[in-house]
Amino acid sequence: MRPRKLCGAAAAVMVAFSLTSYLASRDASAENNFPQNSDVSETAKRDDAAAAGAFEFLSKVLHHPRCMNCHSSGDFPRQGDDGHQHTMNVRRGVDGHGVAGVKCSSCHQDHNLTGTHVPPGAPGWHLPSVAMPMIWEGLTDRQLCEMFKDPKQNGGRNVDQIVEHMSTPLVLWGWHPGEGRTPIPIAESEFLAKVKEWASKGAACPGNARAR
Amino acid sequence: MSMISLKVNGRQHTLELDPETPLLFVLNDELGLRAPKFGCGMAQCGACTVIVRRQAMRSCVMPVSAVREDEVVTLEGLGSAEKPHPIQEAFMAEGAAQCGFCLSGVILTAKAALDEKPQASDEEIREALGGVLCRCFAHLRMLRAIRKYADSRKA
């Protein structure tokens, strides 16, 4: 009997250990999506409060019209600081690059043109796709943060890839929008530093609050 | 200034140009192609539309260097007076023009849309033409002509 009991106890310990390990790993990947094996994570110390604070800062930037005009509700881009619907009935299209006959690249070049009232441009000008529209109009900071980290909603990106995406010319166009458009008023370098801070400190999300 | 190689309607050209020169100016002034029109100069009206990489493009805001190695097709490249393209025939059959200033943009936009989506619905054709302005209100005849062409492709 004794050996049997010992065996049962060992099995129970092993099951408990496995379950604990599984839950710990699930916590890390599902809730925090903490970057692994990367430059960002290797030097980082997890600090949920600092990460959440950094995201709140990012959220202010992400709600600027230069960002919102491609991340608002509806299957169309928006224009101007008032976010009015893009003229000419321009549509998102399945891949986010427009519909047959009217692509984003029909008018938008890979750089801004000289003068006012001409189409702005950056490499790869497009909206998010229908499958992952990345609409964050009306979301709280926490909801937006969770959307950012969810590969099913963010284009299959992990946190490192989000950091990378945030420094692409299309995103940074918000600071260089061309004549006649209001640039994002926060320094680009400060924004990029906060993106890295958020990721390196564990990419935690802020608590619930009102939508911006 | 740079030497720019440009293929237009099947013909290769080499021109000394500022790479930022709008493609429209090159087509109109250097190559004498008058179908693409200068309307607004800001990609707002569609009169300057040409086809590049199978897409309708606003040549008034497209730097000539952005064409790269690809071919530019203007209305002159679709067909001739003697042998018009089927979409041009459909427009003639429906009398789908009034002053004709927008016509090049309308025809090329419709062709690009139907090349990409041959089964396009009337609504999708209207969406495609949303950025090509016609001040003569010939829209209904144009839409009939485009539908006639689309149906003839199916047959």
Side-chain angles (χ1 to χ4, degrees):
Chain A
M1 294 298 286
R2 181 167 284 187
R4 213 174 190 184
K5 271 187 183 171
L6 273 176
C7 206
V13 168
M14 282 177 69
V15 167
F17 179 75
S18 305
L19 191 61
T20 308
S21 303
Y22 164 74
L23 289 173
S25 67
R26 195 190 62 167
D27 269 5
S29 61
E31 288 183 18
N32 299 309
N33 199 11
F34 192 73
Q36 300 294 318
N37 301 322
S38 68
D39 291 344
V40 170
S41 59
E42 278 167 9
T43 56
K45 281 187 180 173
R46 180 169 167 164
D47 182 341
D48 286 354
F55 193 87
E56 282 176 339
F57 177 93
L58 298 179
S59 183
K60 284 181 203 160
V61 173
L62 297 169
H63 282 84
H64 189 273
R66 295 291 79 73
C67 302
M68 287 301 291
N69 283 348
C70 291
H71 292 280
S72 292
S73 57
D75 269 341
F76 50 83
R78 294 171 185 268
Q79 295 177 305
D81 287 351
D82 60 352
H84 62 266
Q85 184 171 346
H86 195 300
T87 54
M88 303 169 232
N89 198 28
V90 170
R91 316 302 296 179
R92 181 188 302 274
V94 175
D95 62 0
H97 287 263
V99 295
V102 195
K103 303 294 183 189
C104 303
S105 59
S106 293
C107 302
H108 296 276
Q109 307 299 316
D110 62 4
H111 59 281
N112 290 324
L113 302 170
T114 306
T116 54
H117 306 298
V118 289
W125 193 272
H126 70 287
L127 292 171
S129 69
V130 166
M132 296 190 197
M134 290 292 285
I135 292 169
W136 57 70
E137 183 180 357
L139 299 186
T140 63
D141 289 352
R142 181 177 183 82
Q143 289 167 330
L144 175 56
C145 177
E146 285 169 348
M147 174 190 273
F148 257 56
K149 293 198 298 179
D150 181 0
K152 289 181 183 161
Q153 295 187 71
N154 74 8
R157 295 180 175 94
N158 62 26
V159 172
D160 283 350
Q161 289 165 327
I162 294 169
V163 173
E164 203 173 293
H165 176 71
M166 289 298 197
S167 56
T168 55
L170 184 56
V171 174
L172 298 183
W173 170 88
W175 281 266
H176 315 278
E179 284 182 68
R181 292 177 201 92
T182 313
I184 293 169
I186 293 161
E188 178 185 315
S189 57
E190 195 178 355
F191 170 77
L192 291 172
K194 287 286 182 187
V195 171
K196 285 181 182 165
E197 182 185 348
W198 172 67
S200 67
K201 291 190 172 169
C205 290
N208 277 314
R210 278 192 316 152
R212 286 183 194 274
Chain B
M1 301 292 268
S2 305
M3 295 306 289
I4 303 263
S5 184
L6 195 64
K7 188 175 183 183
V8 182
N9 300 333
R11 289 188 61 191
Q12 197 74 44
H13 306 270
T14 302
L15 303 157
E16 189 175 7
L17 297 163
D18 179 337
E20 281 294 302
T21 308
L23 173 61
L24 176 64
F25 296 178
V26 180
L27 298 172
N28 282 178
D29 302 337
E30 305 291 333
L31 303 181
L33 297 168
R34 311 306 297 182
K37 300 286 191 288
F38 184 94
C40 64
M42 298 184 292
Q44 306 274 324
C45 74
C48 66
T49 301
V50 297
I51 294 177
V52 183
R53 296 185 275 278
R54 299 175 62 84
Q55 287 185 24
M57 307 291 266
R58 302 289 187 266
S59 65
C60 71
V61 292
M62 185 178 196
V64 65
S65 56
V67 176
R68 302 193 294 268
E69 304 300 316
D70 299 298
E71 181 173 9
V72 178
V73 178
T74 70
L75 192 64
E76 292 96 334
L78 281 195
S80 61
E82 297 74 32
K83 194 178 176 187
H85 185 278
I87 193 169
Q88 292 169 312
E89 284 181 337
F91 270 72
M92 287 189 282
E94 291 294 333
Q98 198 145 317
C99 83
F101 197 84
C102 69
L103 207 56
S104 170
V106 172
I107 291 175
L108 292 175
T109 301
K111 184 174 185 306
L114 289 167
D115 284 350
E116 181 179 337
K117 194 162 191 181
Q119 309 297 328
S121 65
D122 288 347
E123 189 183 342
E124 287 170 323
I125 291 169
R126 281 194 203 96
E127 273 182 1
L129 293 172
V132 189
L133 306 184
C134 166
R135 294 182 67 182
C136 305
F137 298 98
H139 303 87
L140 292 179
R141 283 175 278 157
M142 290 176 181
L143 290 170
R144 278 203 298 271
I146 295 165
R147 174 49 53 201
K148 178 179 273 194
Y149 167 64
D151 292 345
S152 73
R153 285 166 57 116
K154 287 181 202 163

